[in-house]
Structure formats: structure tokens, C-alpha cells
Amino acid sequence: MDENLKLKLTLLPEVPGVYRYRNAQGDIIYVGKAKNLRRRVNSYFNREHESVRTRLLVRNIADLEYTVVNTEEEALDLENALIKEYQPRYNVLLKDDKSYPWICVTGDLYPRVFITRDARRKGDKFYGPYPKAEVARALIDTMRQLYPLRTCRLNVSRETIEAGKHRLCLQYHIHRCEGCCQGLVSPEQYGEYIAQVRQILNGDTRQLMDLLMSQMQQLASELRFEEADALKRRYQLLEHVRRRSVIVSPTVHNIDVYGLLRDEDAAYVNYMHMRGGAVVQSLTLEYRLSTHDETDSELMSMAVAEVRQRVHHDSSRDRVSEAVVNVLPDVEFNGIPFNVPQRGDKRKLLDIALKNAEQSRTDRLRMMEKLNPEQRTTRTLTTMQRDLRLPSLPRHIECFDNSNIGGSTPVASCVVFRNAKPSKREYRHFNIHTVQGSDDFATMREVVTRRYTRLTQEGESLPQLLVVDGGKGQITAALEALDSMGLRDSIAVVGIAKRLNEVYFPGDSVPLYIDKNSETLRVIQRLRDEAHRFAITFHRKQRSRSQVHSALDDVTGIGPKTRDALLKHFKSLKRIRAASVEELSALIGPARAATLHTALHTDEQHTATADN
């Protein structure tokens, strides 16, 4: 397998999408969909396939491309469109002209609502597509139960009604139609039904769903569970309609979609071409920015020009009628209008283009990190230096956290990160010696003083950044400790408030709010979590020790083995205290027996005196 292909396989995202395999000549030989791109595509290469066809396919794969989408249904729609466009050699399904079903609402005086696979009839409105015909059929049935829609194919017009050319059918007599063919219902009244049907098909189903929910609850309260279950199925169908795909849309014909994203040193433009309401071409362009003088409009103009040079749309079926962009170019292109949509299907298509541009940027960064792991570390540290206003890269970071319960057994922890990663062998615990009770500020002063006094005495390097778990009070305590050692200017200090994206700086009462997607926040979050975990673990250990402490532990000459032997023989401290020196001597010898007997009875006398 080619090394470039191997690298691409490791970088695939775990999202829905459509993948395309190319052979050595650059031809698309297979198009597939996936709920999880990484898992699905890698399954071709990490196992032995029984099918000869699949083995031949894998042998001929030289490169792969993919397009990410929002849902598995959108992936199914895009796969269908691309297979029809490219007719890949190894695709055995969907290579015919069979299309997904649409729901059609005609433009007649009394419109019909029916399922069709031909969404090109003029004057009619089409909704869909639906990945499964049964979903479309169930939706039609639901709407016919809700509204008296005509099902006949008769040519119903004002002239035929006045001439009395049609007779009432069975649907009228069973109250499923109001007699459109004889004008027994006005076009205005019937038009209200159609308006609500269009509303449902457009995905605006909330009002109807609320009605169905209230009817379900009413039927359930009357113990009519079978009828309530039927309404539940209709409710679930409407919920499915709300998630309609936009990868294929009959309202979008022969347009280009450009989504542009940029960062500090590169710009990415994802291009999609729509033909017949479906995405049939997609590619992403990358531009390295040598300077920061290029505007977004100039970059968009460059992308449009390059796409028009690479992709020729000379035939009438490919002629572009509109270009959808998120940034208007600063150059006109043969009169093609550019549009920045704010809502609707075109806006959703633009969002998909931006999503693919973002994925290309992510793939590039991950590929560079694979080839040069140090690059990611440098980028992370540079981001932290910028976000936290540091004078140098924070290659060495330390974070302190205190832990106590009601002032008992106070402890603290210090965790160390080097190059934005934990250095666990350098983690340290602290038992607090100079602080009585619960005083977090005094505890912070003690541990900071002890930590950096020792590092200074041992000639160890000091951190570039000190992170304290807390706000302005903890920062002040840490700074006081650093001042006492003359290290105020050697170590930068920041505090992390309870709301994790709030960072406090010395002398600044207003916190800095860090973007929740920032790498700086990820490192700081991991720092604080590690410090908290390390402190809590040590505190629990200390509490456990104090809870199992025995009076035997305070007797000179009685070690753990002797203590365990005494408890195993006498069963309790009370029986050991009541035993004679001779009984103790038989077990642990006369010298230690005499010492133990004296210590236990002295302790008993002190306890009795204290009680009195």
C-alpha cells in the first residue's frame, strides 16, 4: 500500500460521509457511504475479504477522497448522486437510473399529493428525497388521514366541474374526500389543507406534532392504548420528516458552492457543484499564505478562477446559473451572480462546504503532526504563550491544588507538565505542617515556598508558568511566597476560577475568558484535573491511615508484625490491655511485654483523668 494512502487512513474522521476510491489512472472506481468514515474505510484494508470482487477493488485502490456530511441519510443521498454521475466500475448497486422517491404536490386547482421518482415535472412542487419508499408512503398515508386529499388522477378544473363530467367515487362516500370533482369543497378551503401539507413537508411540523402528542395523552388517559400507539407511529414519522436531507434538493439547479476558511498561515476553499439538485463534484483547495495581506475576497476570487480552470462546465446541463459563497469575491466572472444565503437549502449546502473546508484544515494539521510530532507541541505552546500573555514558551508548567475536609488532614499536590504533557515522575505530595484548620491561602503559601525553595537549593530549573487552582486570593498567596524567595519575576502566575474558562492574572480584577475550543483551555483543564486527582488520592490515603491508627502504633518497640500478632491472638485492644505481663511475655517476650503493659496502662490512666 502507498505510504500516502496509509497516512490518509490514519487521519480519517469518525463522522458520516461519502468516500471515493481512485485507481492509479485517477479514475473513480468505487463510491460508498459510511456512518463512521474511519471505521468503514479501514475495514477494506485490515481484513481478508471472501468476495473476489472486493479483493480486486482493494488491489486497485491508489487514492481516496471523502466528503463529510451531517447525517447518514445525507451520505446515502450523496452516494446515490455520485454513483449516477461517475458510474464506478466496482459499484454493483444504484448504477441504474432508479432514483429515490419524492413527494409531489401538483399545481392544479385541487392539487394532488403523491409519490414519484421523477422530480422534473414543471409547475409542480417536489419534497424529499426519501431514502426509503415506505417512509414516503407512510407520510402520504398520515397526511391523508389528517386531511381529505383527493387521490384520483382526474383532470379537475372549473370547466369540468361546470360541465359535470365526473362522478363522485367511493372515497367521497367513505368520507376521505370532500368531492373535489364536483366542486363540493371550495378551492380556498382545499387550499388550506394543501398549505398545511406543504408546511409538514417543509419540516415545519411542530404544531401538528404538539396536536398529535395531546391526542396521544388523551387516548392513553382513556386507556385506549392501541389508538394511542397508532398516533405515536404518526408522531415518529413527522419527527423523521424534520430531519430532511439537503444534499439533494429539487430547488437547487446547476449552482456552485464555495466555502472559505482561513487561519494564520493557510486558507481552505471547499467547492461543490450541484447538477439536477444533487452534489456531483467536490474538491478542496489549499492556499499557503506567504503574507497576511490577502483579503478573504481576494482568496475567494483566486479559488473561483482556479476551479473554473480545472472544471469545465461547457455543456448546457452544466452551465452554472449561480454561485453560493460565504465571502463575495472582488472580481466578476462572466456575469455569474454570487449569493451569500442566510437561510434555506442553499445556506445548508454552504454549511456543508464550510464543514468540509474545516475537515481539510484538521487533516492537514494532523498530517503535519504525524510527520513532525514536535510541531503540534510547538503550536500548542505558542497558542498558550499568546493566550496567557507569557514572555516565553511555557515548556515547564506546574499546578498546585489543596485538599482537606473541615481542616482535617490538610494536604496539597503539585503536578508537572513538560511540553504540554504530564511528567508524572515529577509529581509531588505535601503534608501541611504550619497551617491549622482550613486556610487555603496559607496552605498555598506554604507549599509554593517549600517547592521552590527546594528546587532553588538543588539547582533545578524553575517553571515558566505556575497555575493555581483558584481566583485572586490564591494568586496573591502564591505571589507572596514567590516574593519572599525573590522569584516574582522568574515565574508567571495565573489562577483558574471554578468556571474553567476564566483565567485570572496578578493585579487584574477582570478575568480572561478563553475559547472553550482552544488548545490552551484543554491543557489547563488537564492540568487542573490532574492536580485535583493527585491531591484527592493522597488525601484519601492519609485519612485511611488515620482511621486505622491503633494505640499499639504509639508504643516503642511494637512494630506492625508484633501489633498484628497481638491482635490476632487477643482479638481486640481491650483484651490486650486486660492481659497480664506473663500472658504478653508468652507471645512477644518479657522485655516488650513489660514496655507494652506499662504504656497501655499509662494511656488508660491519662484517658480516665481527662474524662474526670
Side-chain angles (χ1 to χ4, degrees), residues 253-255 273 313-322:
H253 296 284
N254 289 357
I255 71 168
H273 177 60
H313 298 309
D314 297 327
S315 63
S316 59
R317 73 169 188 157
D318 281 336
R319 196 159 294 129
V320 177
S321 60
E322 180 186 6

Side-chain angles (χ1 to χ4, degrees), residues 225-281:
F225 298 116
E226 290 185 2
E227 297 173 68
D229 187 62
L231 287 183
K232 179 182 177 182
R233 286 194 293 272
R234 287 159 62 185
Y235 182 93
Q236 291 172 337
L237 277 171
L238 291 174
E239 180 67 30
H240 182 84
V241 172
R242 293 179 64 198
R243 299 190 294 268
R244 186 174 64 88
S245 171
V246 297
I247 287 293
V248 180
S249 173
T251 64
V252 181
H253 296 284
N254 289 357
I255 71 168
D256 286 343
V257 183
Y258 297 88
L260 182 146
L261 287 178
R262 67 182 295 171
D263 53 25
E264 293 181 353
D265 58 353
Y268 306 84
V269 181
N270 179 257
Y271 160 77
M272 297 191 301
H273 177 60
M274 304 285 295
R275 181 197 300 147
V279 177
V280 295
Q281 285 180 313

